[in-house]
Amino acid sequence: KTHFGQVKCVDISPTAPHWIAVTAYDRVVIYEDYGFESITLESKLQDGYNCTRWRSDGKLLVTGANHPDVKVWDTRGTINRKLKGHKAPIHEVSFLPNKVQVFSASDDMNAKTWDIATGDCLATLQGHKDYVRSGGPHPSHSHLIATGSYDKC
């Protein structure tokens, strides 16, 4: 498929029908596993998307973009929750193994964990001296999270 800008992230749902979420600049497009049918999440976000990740059961997605809100979506393209608290673009997101919390990493030099049901920030991971551009939780221990930053730590 051809996209409307650089592709920044691709993630495949771990459960059937194994939809493919493609993060391509100003939109996130969900394709069926063979790429013939698609759903577009909030087309033409001016700031641009950076990452999209599936929850392990394939029922929800989380997105990070060049604005400070983390968004949790269902597979129909409906926003279920906006998680507000970062002050800069978000470059990495993921679901924690417990499926009810989300991780985000931001250019505000922080990473956060969130409760999906309430939208509350549960923890802010501080200490970096530059943009936090990568990270994520341990696959079986939600309390273990690693981050990476431009400060090389």
Side-chain angles (χ1 to χ4, degrees), residues 4-109:
F4 299 97
Q6 66 181 7
V7 173
K8 291 186 173 185
C9 182
V10 175
D11 198 34
I12 301 172
S13 173
T15 61
H18 303 293
W19 291 335
I20 303 164
V22 178
T23 309
Y25 185 65
D26 65 348
R27 66 193 70 198
V28 176
V29 180
I30 302 170
Y31 294 101
E32 285 188 24
D33 53 356
Y34 295 106
F36 299 116
E37 298 292 326
S38 66
I39 299 169
T40 300
L41 305 183
E42 196 176 27
S43 177
K44 299 192 178 180
L45 175 68
Q46 287 182 331
D47 294 334
Y49 284 98
N50 293 318
C51 56
T52 305
R53 300 286 181 219
W54 287 98
R55 192 166 73 175
S56 62
D57 62 5
K59 294 181 179 179
L60 294 175
L61 299 102
V62 61
T63 57
N66 286 328
H67 61 76
D69 297 342
V70 176
K71 294 179 183 174
V72 179
W73 308 77
D74 64 24
T75 56
R76 294 180 313 270
T78 303
I79 297 172
N80 286 0
R81 179 76 63 198
K82 286 185 185 179
L83 308 173
K84 297 176 178 272
H86 280 295
K87 294 175 175 48
I90 297 160
H91 288 274
E92 186 60 65
V93 292
S94 62
F95 287 93
L96 274 64
N98 63 21
K99 299 181 191 170
V100 297
Q101 296 171 347
V102 168
F103 162 84
S104 59
S106 171
D107 283 355
D108 65 8
M109 298 183 277

